Amino acid sequence: MKNTVVTFAQAKEQGIKQTVLTAYDYSTAKLMDEAGVNAILVGDSLGMVCLGYEDTLSVTMEDMIHHTAAVARGTKNALVIADMPFMSYQTSVYDALLNAGRLVKEGRAQAVKLEGGAEVADQIRAIMKASIPVMAHVGLTPQSVHTFGGFKVQGRTETAAQKLLDDARAVQEAGAFAVVLEGVPAKLAEMITKELTIPTIGIGAGPGCDGQVLVYQDMLGMFSDFTPKFVKRYGAIGESMVAAFKQYMEEVQNGSFPDEAHSFTMDDDVLDKLY
Ligand code: KIV
């Protein structure tokens, strides 16, 4: 079944949890789609897990379009959501609309995600008006790392919790079809989830959200630079990869690879004539 913003809304009504994973390339997207994940987010986390930056701030529109197009080519049923990178929407409503349009036209995204609450409501409204679905993102929004003074849980004080609730209401009112709650205390995320009519997708926000999202390299144990507390490892793929790389090196060095089964043959008389 094709997942759309409509099926996301229906899932909230029916109490069905939505599953979202990040992907950045064709073959990974294809595997996730085959597994039946509801949405694939081409996150700007690609800056860290694919490009080796220390945060998401250097990711460009060109990076996002390039990776979104690859994911879209590998996806049939999952909803493809592309992150709007830093400074592609904060500068003006016009820039937001233009760049959201590029992610759909050139990257073949089916929705875009941007970070922020009330301060980006005008951008959300304009993008939605152009018939591009928007997923909002509040709480620990990584593009604000320098204003937060690091990657810190948000909404722990009364003022901060109230601001988070107000921001979640503001993005819903602006027309977002869903909102990511990142790095938020579980009880606050549960309260916001009950308060909103649009689905909440949690990451580090406890079990009370309408769905969950994880960065796939984190959940598969492929990325060890930094492991947040909320990440559960569903595999040790990084270890398996290193073991496979080592075995390949050993077999190349000792001559056991490539063997006959992995080589091509030709008629001996052709070779004889050459000799
Ligand atoms: O960039 C990203 O991968 C994200 C998710 C972690 C929500 O924004």
Side-chain angles (χ1 to χ4, degrees):
M1 185 194 76
K2 176 65 194 159
N3 292 271
T4 65
V5 293
V6 177
T7 59
F8 260 67
Q10 286 166 347
K12 170 121 185 171
E13 276 169 28
Q14 295 163 4
I16 302 167
K17 298 250 185 194
Q18 295 295 279
T19 53
V20 185
L21 282 171
T22 67
Y24 317 92
D25 68 88
Y26 170 82
S27 48
T28 310
K30 216 166 161 208
L31 292 170
M32 281 176 194
D33 201 59
E34 195 180 308
V37 74
N38 296 112
I40 297 180
L41 169 68
V42 189
D44 60 355
S45 49
L46 88 85
M48 291 150 105
V49 295
C50 295
L51 305 178
Y53 297 134
E54 65 184 37
D55 52 43
T56 59
L57 303 180
S58 300
V59 175
T60 64
M61 273 300 296
E62 271 56 42
D63 292 332
M64 290 309 305
I65 290 168
H66 180 74
H67 287 270
T68 303
V71 166
R73 287 191 288 270
T75 308
K76 279 200 191 99
N77 292 322
L79 176 70
V80 177
I81 307 165
D83 250 344
M84 299 199 67
F86 183 55
M87 286 298 125
S88 69
Y89 59 95
Q90 290 93 339
T91 42
S92 69
V93 169
Y94 177 81
D95 285 350
L97 192 51
L98 195 81
N99 287 319
R102 287 193 68 197
L103 288 167
V104 173
K105 263 179 110 95
E106 299 171 50
R108 305 292 302 167
Q110 294 148 3
V112 298
K113 176 167 82 58
L114 52 79
E115 297 181 8
E119 73 280 11
V120 290
D122 286 343
Q123 281 89 331
I124 295 175
R125 225 170 267 121
I127 299 170
M128 294 291 295
K129 240 177 160 176
S131 302
I132 301 172
V134 179
M135 176 179 260
H137 185 165
V138 299
L140 196 185
T141 43
Q143 291 176 17
S144 305
V145 58
H146 295 313
T147 17
F148 294 151
F151 295 104
K152 293 178 183 162
V153 173
Q154 300 296 304
R156 277 193 164 135
T157 65
E158 192 187 331
T159 321
Q162 182 64 56
K163 182 178 175 339
L164 242 166
L165 177 59
D166 292 344
D167 279 337
R169 284 191 181 126
V171 296
Q172 170 173 282
E173 195 270 322
F177 78 91
V179 57
V180 169
L181 303 180
E182 177 165 359
V184 174
K187 285 187 177 158
L188 178 61
E190 192 181 342
M191 188 237 171
I192 293 173
T193 300
K194 286 185 183 146
E195 191 66 22
L196 297 187
T197 53
I198 58 170
T200 60
I201 306 297
I203 174 160
C209 298
D210 297 309
Q212 295 292 325
V213 55
L214 280 177
V215 170
Y216 92 86
Q217 286 93 338
D218 286 342
M219 57 92 74
L220 290 184
M222 293 170 68
F223 185 74
S224 53
D225 289 7
F226 174 67
T227 310
K229 175 185 162 151
F230 58 78
V231 170
K232 179 172 174 184
R233 285 204 168 168
Y234 289 86
I237 308 300
E239 283 164 33
S240 302
M241 286 170 81
V242 173
F245 297 149
K246 283 189 173 159
Q247 189 182 342
Y248 159 76
M249 288 162 61
E250 197 182 308
E251 291 187 9
V252 169
Q253 281 157 359
N254 70 22
S256 60
F257 176 82
D259 54 10
E260 242 181 70
H262 297 93
S263 304
F264 299 106
T265 57
M266 66 184 283
D267 283 344
D268 282 348
D269 2 331
V270 176
L271 203 58
D272 285 347
K273 277 183 193 142
L274 270 179
Y275 278 118

